[in-house]
Amino acid sequence: MVKENMFEKANKLINEKSPYLLQHAHNPVDWYPWCEEAFKKAQAEDKPIFLSIGYSTCHWCHVMAHESFEDEEVAKILNENFVSIKVDREERPDIDSIYMTFCQMFTGSGGWPLSVFMTPEKKPFFAGTYFPKEDRYGMRGIVSLLKGIVDAWRKDKGNLIEKSHYITGRMQEAIKDEVEEVGENLINKAYTELREGFDKKYGGFGLYPKFPIAQNLMFLLRYYDHHKDEKALYMVEETLKHMFKGGIFDHIGYGFSRYSTDEKWLVPHFEKMLYDNALLAIAYIETYEVTKKEFYREVCEKIIDYVIRDMMSSEGAFYCAEDADSEGVEGKFYVWGKDEIKDVLKDNWEIYCKYYDITDKGNFEGKNIPNLINADISDLEKDKEVREILYKCRKKLFQHREKRIHPHKDDKILTSWNGLMIAAIAHVGRVLNNENYISYGENAVNFILHNMINEKGRLMARYKDGQVDFLAYLDDYAFIIWSLIELYNATFKDEYLKEAVKLNDEMLRLFWDDENGGFFLYGEDGENLIVRPKEIYDGAIPSGNSVAALNMIRLARITGNVELENKVNQMFKCFGGKVNSNPSLYNFFNMALMYAKEGGKEIVICGHKEDKEVKDILCEINKRFLPFTSTIVYDGNEDIVKIIPYIKDYSKIDNKTTIYVCQNNSCSRGINSLEEFVKKEFS
């Protein structure tokens, strides 16, 4: 009866584009999207607000929805006593950031689903994450919680309102900048913290659950490059190897899941996020650049293959995520019974089961997650015959799996996450000299620039079903600028550099804090929320401030715009107190700091990018891991002089392709010989 009633009438989410909000559009709860109508209703009816934040591929969001939001009893309490608001955290990271900060302050932890109770003035007074319907195992249920809050609102509303004012004041204090100098010791301290938290047996850092935080590995690669500390490289390699061997990597269809619930990387939370796969593709390809080991290249290509096959829209941009659940069961799409494997493979099932840990007992709730944890992949690399057999087995299993009911796909297009994927695929394409990869990146960025700019010229955050919405946030600008820099490095098409500079100028205008430095999360033209946060923590995704800092250093070195580096120096001070307190939580930010302290090099190649000599030079550069080097190709085009004024001082010598290498504000004499260039710079 509940289900029948639930689907007879839609609530106010029915006209939204968010897949997450649409999942709740037929709940018996009278949900509102985040809108003025909801807040006016709460004020007029003197009701508290229940704010529920999640995302469409969140397993525990599904659990709470099925237990409570599809339940008539819970809906009745909410509808009679609250104004209920649903928010997709991926569409409104500004709202999510503010109320997640409150939840973490209030409870000491956070996560999704995020459940917040607040006044009609948007000020929170209580928060938590997942609540079961009824009290159980010492965990408070949503029914008793709702009844308790209703009782408190009726009997002691003044105290709740006073509490909300106090908490909002504390939040204002918590987000204040902690201005402090940063130095080389910060980098060493971040490295030491990672080294001390490293899991020597299975790779990764800290205890389970284990998250594939790619910027930690990217930071370690740069630390290794600068300090030649073999331990740094060892930590990267061990982590990447064990992650691939585990069940967190989909050995049938490729791509990485969100995180592992155990220390061995065996049992994932099965949802696949675009951002994880983008960032991990970068970590694997950079490790290939450093080590030249084919294993890392192959894993990287498998990640890209998955994204292109399953996450690319018909327009060429990239979707957000794939769910953990199918048919209401977590991981059902991905797990196997041994008999099913035998039936599909018929031949060679024994060798597949041996290598991929397929047993009668199973390794996950009676089923099997294929993995290579107990296999020696170095032996596999040497045994071509076994590899070929396993590859054919995988193809058969993949074709069989495709017939299953697929998990839900969140098919909205986010500017920010597309920026990460475009940056990754351009970087990989450049290193591997793969024109197809680069063209995928170009198609995606062109989609963003042609479809996600509004009539006022403002970058937007989300595209779905032909409709764009939400003014772009800092992450959108920072990540798409990153992608444009990578595309410039991969193609040396001046338009990508021009667009990067243009968007960076717009980002400074809309988000920059003129008082203390750093960037706010939402623009000066955005909705005025109860606080205006700046984010610097590099969690599952690097912060917009961290990426913006690295972007601006790179743009400063390419264009010669010293003011950009001055802005970054302000950022180092602005966030210095927070970063100094726990450096390893800010490792993308630390990468920007390393670049600034390292100084880096600029390579200017005078010649046309299509000339064989120029291609040969770029091939030599792209063979190497050069994280603190910028490369410019100048063919005499006057348009680029507007962006790089100093470039007009460089020219060919003897009418031959000429290379200039600049460091510490001085440049070497021009070099005509590729051999001399390689000998001087790379030997």
Side-chain angles (χ1 to χ4, degrees), residues 181-188 580 593 597:
E181 294 286 346
V182 295
E184 183 72 20
N185 63 312
L186 174 71
I187 302 300
N188 293 327
N580 278 323
L593 180 62
K597 299 294 183 185

Side-chain angles (χ1 to χ4, degrees), residues 282-301:
I282 296 173
Y284 276 96
I285 201 63
E286 288 192 341
T287 308
Y288 170 72
E289 290 179 78
V290 172
T291 66
K292 297 298 181 288
K293 294 177 182 177
E294 288 296 302
F295 166 75
Y296 301 110
R297 177 187 63 79
E298 289 173 4
V299 178
C300 178
E301 289 178 325

Side-chain angles (χ1 to χ4, degrees), residues 197-398:
F198 178 67
D199 181 344
K200 298 178 180 64
K201 188 172 184 180
Y202 295 110
F205 304 92
L207 304 174
Y208 61 89
K210 278 186 175 174
F211 290 83
I213 300 178
Q215 61 262 17
N216 286 346
L217 307 177
M218 295 160 68
F219 166 79
L220 286 170
L221 289 173
R222 284 153 181 78
Y223 191 90
Y224 167 76
D225 183 72
H226 183 55
H227 294 278
K228 305 306 176 193
D229 188 318
E230 295 292 335
K231 179 70 174 179
L233 181 58
Y234 172 78
M235 288 190 283
V236 173
E237 292 204 69
E238 286 299 294
T239 299
L240 292 179
K241 286 175 184 175
H242 283 289
M243 281 175 50
F244 168 76
K245 291 174 72 173
I248 190 174
F249 183 76
D250 177 2
H251 291 274
I252 304 297
Y254 302 153
F256 280 92
S257 294
R258 178 69 202 92
Y259 65 88
S260 173
T261 61
D262 61 274
E263 75 279 5
K264 296 190 292 186
W265 306 100
L266 171 61
V267 180
H269 231 343
F270 289 90
E271 71 264 34
K272 292 178 180 176
M273 313 301 290
L274 181 66
Y275 59 78
D276 283 318
N277 285 283
L279 293 164
L280 286 170
I282 296 173
Y284 276 96
I285 201 63
E286 288 192 341
T287 308
Y288 170 72
E289 290 179 78
V290 172
T291 66
K292 297 298 181 288
K293 294 177 182 177
E294 288 296 302
F295 166 75
Y296 301 110
R297 177 187 63 79
E298 289 173 4
V299 178
C300 178
E301 289 178 325
K302 287 174 179 177
I303 296 170
I304 302 294
D305 287 350
Y306 156 70
V307 171
I308 290 169
R309 185 191 68 229
D310 288 349
M311 300 297 283
M312 192 166 71
S313 73
S314 59
E315 303 99 331
F318 300 102
Y319 297 136
C320 282
E322 291 191 301
D323 209 330
D325 298 10
S326 57
E327 302 178 75
V329 179
E330 185 183 15
K332 184 173 182 178
F333 180 76
Y334 297 101
V335 298
W336 301 80
K338 185 175 180 181
D339 288 342
E340 186 180 15
I341 296 275
K342 291 167 68 174
D343 185 56
V344 173
L345 295 182
K346 295 186 170 54
D347 300 320
N348 298 317
W349 65 267
E350 289 177 296
I351 191 169
Y352 186 86
C353 291
K354 171 190 170 186
Y355 277 96
Y356 282 94
D357 187 29
I358 309 297
T359 64
D360 292 316
K361 182 181 178 182
N363 53 35
F364 174 70
E365 298 179 357
K367 295 288 187 177
N368 292 279
I369 301 170
N371 70 89
L372 291 166
I373 291 172
N374 296 316
D376 188 331
I377 57 175
S378 61
D379 283 348
L380 268 178
E381 288 172 351
K382 297 171 189 173
D383 196 329
K384 187 176 179 181
E385 183 180 352
V386 171
R387 287 186 71 183
E388 185 63 29
I389 290 170
L390 294 176
Y391 176 73
K392 288 178 180 177
C393 290
R394 185 205 71 82
K395 285 186 71 176
K396 287 182 180 178
L397 293 171
F398 175 78

Side-chain angles (χ1 to χ4, degrees), residues 619-683:
C619 183
E620 286 295 333
I621 292 170
N622 291 336
K623 284 179 183 178
R624 294 164 173 83
F625 181 61
L626 303 171
F628 307 123
T629 296
S630 299
T631 305
I632 304 161
V633 175
Y634 177 49
D635 61 4
N637 184 348
E638 287 299 314
D639 285 345
I640 202 67
V641 176
K642 297 173 185 175
I643 298 174
I644 313 176
Y646 69 84
I647 201 73
K648 65 181 183 294
D649 298 329
Y650 295 87
S651 60
K652 291 182 177 182
I653 297 174
D654 298 331
N655 203 33
K656 295 178 181 178
T657 297
T658 306
I659 312 161
Y660 298 87
V661 179
C662 306
Q663 189 173 20
N664 299 325
N665 302 311
S666 65
C667 296
S668 65
R669 64 175 179 81
I671 301 171
N672 289 130
S673 163
L674 175 59
E675 291 73 19
E676 183 183 349
F677 168 68
V678 171
K679 183 178 179 181
K680 183 175 180 181
E681 294 301 323
F682 304 132
S683 60

Side-chain angles (χ1 to χ4, degrees), residues 336-519:
W336 301 80
K338 185 175 180 181
D339 288 342
E340 186 180 15
I341 296 275
K342 291 167 68 174
D343 185 56
V344 173
L345 295 182
K346 295 186 170 54
D347 300 320
N348 298 317
W349 65 267
E350 289 177 296
I351 191 169
Y352 186 86
C353 291
K354 171 190 170 186
Y355 277 96
Y356 282 94
D357 187 29
I358 309 297
T359 64
D360 292 316
K361 182 181 178 182
N363 53 35
F364 174 70
E365 298 179 357
K367 295 288 187 177
N368 292 279
I369 301 170
N371 70 89
L372 291 166
I373 291 172
N374 296 316
D376 188 331
I377 57 175
S378 61
D379 283 348
L380 268 178
E381 288 172 351
K382 297 171 189 173
D383 196 329
K384 187 176 179 181
E385 183 180 352
V386 171
R387 287 186 71 183
E388 185 63 29
I389 290 170
L390 294 176
Y391 176 73
K392 288 178 180 177
C393 290
R394 185 205 71 82
K395 285 186 71 176
K396 287 182 180 178
L397 293 171
F398 175 78
Q399 289 164 2
H400 178 80
R401 198 179 77 174
E402 283 294 282
K403 299 172 187 174
R404 296 177 179 175
I405 295 174
H406 281 242
H408 155 75
K409 193 190 305 287
D410 189 320
D411 60 354
K412 67 180 181 290
I413 292 166
L414 295 178
T415 299
S416 58
W417 296 6
N418 269 260
L420 295 176
M421 194 64 234
I422 297 163
I425 207 166
H427 187 152
V428 175
R430 173 178 62 80
V431 172
L432 300 183
N433 194 26
N434 187 317
E435 293 294 334
N436 287 334
Y437 286 177
I438 295 169
S439 68
Y440 286 131
E442 291 190 276
N443 291 341
V445 87
N446 287 331
F447 176 86
I448 300 293
L449 297 177
H450 287 96
N451 294 278
M452 300 189 70
I453 307 282
N454 70 9
E455 65 280 357
K456 296 180 181 178
R458 178 71 152 82
L459 187 65
M460 303 296 283
R462 188 268 284 146
Y463 174 96
K464 179 76 166 64
D465 297 336
Q467 179 179 310
V468 294
D469 210 347
F470 307 110
L471 296 174
Y473 308 98
L474 172 62
D475 289 11
D476 297 295
Y477 278 87
F479 297 174
I480 210 69
I481 291 166
W482 182 8
S483 76
L484 288 162
I485 295 171
E486 293 297 340
L487 280 171
Y488 174 73
N489 286 342
T491 66
F492 293 101
K493 294 180 180 178
D494 296 343
E495 58 262 34
Y496 294 132
L497 185 58
K498 291 177 187 175
E499 194 65 36
V501 170
K502 174 189 166 187
L503 287 174
N504 198 76
D505 289 344
E506 189 173 305
M507 182 178 71
L508 284 163
R509 178 175 61 82
L510 291 168
F511 300 90
W512 183 254
D513 179 2
D514 290 323
E515 184 177 347
N516 294 319
F519 293 96

